[in-house]
Amino acid sequence: MHNTYANEAIKCTVTQCRHHCDVKNNCSLNCIQVGTHELNPTEEQCTDCMSFEKK
């Protein structure tokens, strides 16, 4: 199943996620949850999209 809905407000290049729009670099969700895997995040690499689901 291809996902063609692109939420223009959420940019995303993670093509391995089931919510990635297959025709644009956007997410197809209405909103996402952002979290962290660090106790004290100090760089963007410390943050994660908690809405990620593997295709």
Side-chain angles (χ1 to χ4, degrees):
M1 180 173 111
H2 293 285
N3 193 350
T4 57
Y5 173 74
N7 182 338
E8 297 291 334
I10 305 174
K11 307 296 182 196
C12 180
T13 59
V14 183
T15 58
Q16 298 84 354
C17 181
R18 79 177 319 157
H19 304 297
H20 183 269
C21 176
D22 290 328
V23 295
K24 287 184 153 186
N25 280 332
N26 293 91
C27 183
S28 65
L29 294 173
N30 290 327
C31 67
I32 61 169
Q33 178 70 41
V34 177
T36 183
H37 57 273
E38 302 285 335
L39 292 175
N40 184 25
T42 57
E43 300 176 351
E44 68 181 60
Q45 293 89 346
C46 299
T47 60
D48 302 297
C49 178
M50 307 306 280
S51 301
F52 173 83
E53 291 183 26
K54 186 173 176 0
K55 278 187 180 176

